[in-house]
Amino acid sequence: MTIKGKKSGLMAIVFGLAFSALAACTGSGDGEPSGADSEPGAATETEGPAGAEQPENAVPELPVRWVLPGSAPEDQEMVEQAINEKLKADGLNLRYEAIYVPWDVWDQRTNLMMSTGEEFEIIHIMHDLKGPNILAANGGIIPIDDLLDRYGADLVAAMPDWIWESARINAETYFVPDFWLDTAYAEGMVTMRKDLLEKNGIAPPRSTAELMAAAETLKANWPETNKNVYIYVLNGETPAYLHATYESYPFIVFQDLVYVDQQGNVKPWIETEEFKRDAAFFREAYRKGLVNPDILTVPKEVMDRDQADGRYLYREGEGLSALDNVKKTVPDAETEIYYLTDKPKLRSYGLRNSNGISATSKHPEAAIQFFNWMYGKQENFDLVMYGIPDVHWKDLGPNQIERLKKTEQGGSAYELPYWMAGNVAMGRWTPDTHPSVLATKSVVAEDAVNSVTVGFNFDATKVGVEYANALSELKTSIYPIKLGLVDYENAFPDALKRMNAAGLQEVVAEYERQFKAWQASNP
């Protein structure tokens, strides 16, 4: 695979307008350092031991500041020190630091960091909230082909070619893939409480009607006094589990804006019959009390707590906490994943998460050197992801782990959440990991069908304002319809006018133009 691409100029778009519209490894890879002629970030002979006074001509350590969502683990400082000692021992003159930003201020804080030019090297990207297309269009992240060619041989080798193809926007690689799962396993999947299905004599649902009926029965017979239990909905994603049951499947939906079928036909998603069917399903579910009436405003932390407690009628897709953590709070609970159809799995996109290299960094090469080191050797990957061996975890063999040091609450004293930087081939799992997790997160679906869009990434630069406005208007006008809070027939005409005024048609037209050009150049 050729990673290097010709750099092209990136149109600058004012951060405040575009961002405020959105709510939402392990060796250096180049051998031994070469003293005064070494690459930036490589250790030199003038270095002293950590903490020692450095000679005037010493090369300063290059920072690797990684901006991540959530809260830092208890032993973050201890593990950072171990990572930095290992980097130094391996001849890399880098200093790693994880910068955690709380979930409730993630958008505001990261927007401010980028718009004011605050320096950092890496930002985690959640494609369902604010994808790399948005960050690239607004100049927040940079193309990295030249950096990969120079510093990333082991990093590139750590993931399959088709994953790297998914990291390209307008023929340039714009982010480091986070290959923590094969996305083919997510299509058509729901997670449910198996113990409650069996207790109520309900067979695993095999259609949308059976799914609705099962959810209704579970709510009516919920085994707790508090029966305010609902469908666990991922607002920023389209319900692929419904789509897999439609006659027109397979098709993909991009950002709730664009529909693309396997024949390459492109049109506005909200104008399709499939969107109308989604809205009808959720309208019925809402009327039956199966959708949280506060779904648009309920904090993510509240939803995650309900999920961890097993308090959901079903969860679209699959989440580790839905499968692994429920037993910690509900010992008798059993959870399982179910598919509503036997149709071949569709790999509708390459990635759910990635890590971008910040345009504000003075030394972006440091980020690629760090990832090259991390993914180049299992021991380095383990250190970054799981902490210090025999302190935080014990090696039980290939891809297996025993957690050791715990917090007072019983969680791991250190771990980098797997979905932020995992790797299908390198990840480790505890002996009690649910078999369905291993079946969907530790292997690649060799027989999956790739969407015709895999490898294509939309570049929103030319319609940056329209794209941002359309995404913002979605939350106001379309999400209430999408989630069944209002009636489609009554609300949709005005919502469509608002979406078109925001720039929907221009975005779809530009997407189609780029997609057709990409298809022509990739026969």
Side-chain angles (χ1 to χ4, degrees):
M1 176 185 65
T2 301
I3 291 294
K4 186 173 181 179
K6 183 179 179 182
K7 265 187 186 174
S8 59
L10 182 64
M11 180 185 297
I13 298 176
V14 178
F15 277 92
L17 172 62
F19 283 129
S20 63
L22 301 169
C25 327
T26 19
S28 68
D30 293 325
E32 295 294 319
S34 53
D37 295 327
S38 62
E39 301 288 1
T44 70
E45 294 177 357
T46 60
E47 285 184 318
E53 183 177 348
Q54 297 295 307
E56 291 185 4
N57 62 344
V59 176
E61 292 175 324
L62 299 185
V64 179
R65 293 160 291 195
W66 192 351
V67 178
L68 299 160
S71 302
E74 186 175 283
D75 282 358
Q76 181 65 39
E77 185 176 344
M78 178 195 302
V79 176
E80 280 186 11
Q81 181 178 346
I83 290 171
N84 287 321
E85 290 173 355
K86 184 66 162 60
L87 285 166
K88 193 175 187 68
D90 288 347
L92 288 172
N93 199 35
L94 306 174
R95 177 154 292 275
Y96 170 72
E97 177 188 4
I99 301 173
Y100 281 88
V101 176
W103 278 106
D104 59 348
V105 295
W106 171 258
D107 274 343
Q108 300 93 318
R109 177 74 179 114
T110 55
N111 291 347
L112 184 64
M113 291 172 74
M114 286 185 278
S115 63
T116 60
E118 182 174 339
E119 291 185 25
F120 61 93
E121 283 61 52
I122 308 167
I123 183 168
H124 185 71
I125 304 172
M126 293 161 280
H127 293 211
D128 59 326
L129 296 182
K130 184 189 298 176
N133 313 75
I134 300 169
L135 296 178
N138 290 283
I141 57 176
I142 64 171
I144 58 174
D145 293 286
D146 291 342
L147 296 173
L148 288 170
D149 285 348
R150 194 169 184 182
Y151 306 108
D154 291 338
L155 171 58
V156 171
M159 302 177 215
D161 289 356
W162 63 267
I163 280 291
W164 283 105
E165 289 297 324
S166 298
R168 297 176 72 79
I169 301 174
N170 200 23
E172 294 183 292
T173 306
Y174 260 94
F175 50 87
V176 175
D178 180 1
F179 186 41
W180 65 278
L181 86 166
D182 183 350
T183 59
Y185 285 109
E187 296 296 303
M189 176 196 295
V190 295
T191 300
M192 303 187 76
R193 286 277 300 272
K194 179 182 178 181
D195 59 312
L196 296 183
L197 289 178
E198 293 177 347
K199 182 179 179 180
N200 287 277
I202 304 171
R206 297 290 292 168
S207 68
T208 57
E210 290 182 4
L211 181 63
M212 181 80 72
E216 193 173 7
T217 300
L218 291 179
K219 185 176 180 73
N221 299 332
W222 195 256
E224 297 172 354
T225 303
N226 181 2
K227 297 185 184 297
N228 291 325
V229 59
Y230 305 103
I231 298 169
Y232 185 100
V233 177
L234 301 173
N235 293 356
E237 298 188 11
T238 54
Y241 63 97
L242 298 181
H243 300 169
T245 69
Y246 297 167
E247 298 80 3
S248 56
Y249 190 78
F251 57 85
I252 69 100
V253 181
F254 171 73
Q255 294 284 324
D256 271 328
L257 297 174
V258 183
Y259 163 102
V260 186
D261 64 22
Q262 286 295 80
Q263 289 70 51
N265 298 308
V266 178
K267 53 188 172 182
W269 162 239
I270 62 173
E271 295 187 52
T272 65
E273 285 298 313
E274 289 82 2
F275 172 76
K276 188 175 181 179
R277 290 181 67 175
D278 287 358
F281 177 90
F282 275 97
R283 185 60 174 162
E284 182 182 354
Y286 176 77
R287 285 172 169 162
K288 291 180 175 181
L290 309 180
V291 174
N292 189 334
D294 299 321
I295 187 60
L296 294 176
T297 57
V298 63
K300 184 178 186 300
E301 291 81 1
V302 174
M303 293 179 63
D304 288 347
R305 184 173 63 247
D306 283 345
Q307 181 183 203
D309 290 343
R311 288 183 51 80
Y312 54 88
L313 302 175
Y314 69 81
R315 183 207 191 278
E316 60 182 272
E318 177 270 309
L320 282 175
S321 59
L323 293 170
D324 290 340
N325 293 344
V326 173
K327 276 187 169 293
K328 298 175 183 178
T329 52
V330 188
D332 294 333
E334 293 287 346
T335 57
E336 186 55 91
I337 59 173
Y338 302 99
Y339 289 92
L340 302 184
T341 174
D342 292 325
K343 292 180 182 178
K345 293 180 176 59
L346 175 71
R347 188 174 288 118
S348 60
Y349 54 94
L351 298 161
R352 295 176 65 93
N353 301 81
S354 60
N355 289 287
I357 310 306
S358 174
T360 67
S361 174
K362 292 181 179 178
H363 291 283
E365 71 275 12
I368 299 303
Q369 287 179 316
F370 175 79
F371 281 131
N372 193 66
W373 172 87
M374 175 181 169
Y375 289 106
K377 288 184 180 177
Q378 184 72 46
E379 65 190 64
N380 296 342
F381 177 85
D382 290 338
L383 180 59
V384 175
M385 297 300 297
Y386 309 118
I388 302 169
D390 298 322
V391 174
H392 297 104
W393 63 281
K394 180 180 179 181
D395 189 346
L396 298 182
N399 302 109
Q400 298 183 57
I401 188 174
E402 178 186 349
R403 300 287 189 179
L404 297 179
K405 189 176 181 182
K406 303 292 184 66
T407 66
E408 290 184 358
Q409 293 73 34
S412 296
Y414 176 87
E415 67 175 328
L416 180 63
Y418 188 65
W419 56 269
M420 291 187 187
N423 184 282
V424 169
M426 304 174 79
R428 292 182 181 271
W429 307 93
T430 58
D432 60 348
T433 298
H434 196 293
S436 293
V437 173
L438 297 178
T440 58
K441 287 203 171 67
S442 63
V443 296
V444 174
E446 299 295 346
D447 59 344
V449 176
N450 279 0
S451 164
V452 295
T453 61
V454 168
F456 170 72
N457 280 288
F458 176 55
D459 177 7
T461 302
K462 292 185 178 180
V463 288
V465 173
E466 293 87 347
Y467 184 45
N469 288 344
L471 288 174
S472 179
E473 189 61 41
L474 271 173
K475 295 177 174 62
T476 301
S477 298
I478 297 301
Y479 277 18
I481 301 172
K482 167 185 173 179
L483 298 173
L485 305 183
V486 297
D487 185 72
Y488 175 95
E489 299 296 341
N490 294 332
F492 184 73
D494 184 63
L496 180 59
K497 290 179 182 178
R498 291 178 177 273
M499 287 297 297
N500 286 337
L504 172 63
Q505 300 303 328
E506 289 82 357
V507 172
V508 175
E510 179 61 17
Y511 183 104
E512 182 174 26
R513 184 192 68 77
Q514 292 182 28
F515 176 63
K516 295 300 183 184
W518 175 80
Q519 277 191 310
S521 63
N522 293 273

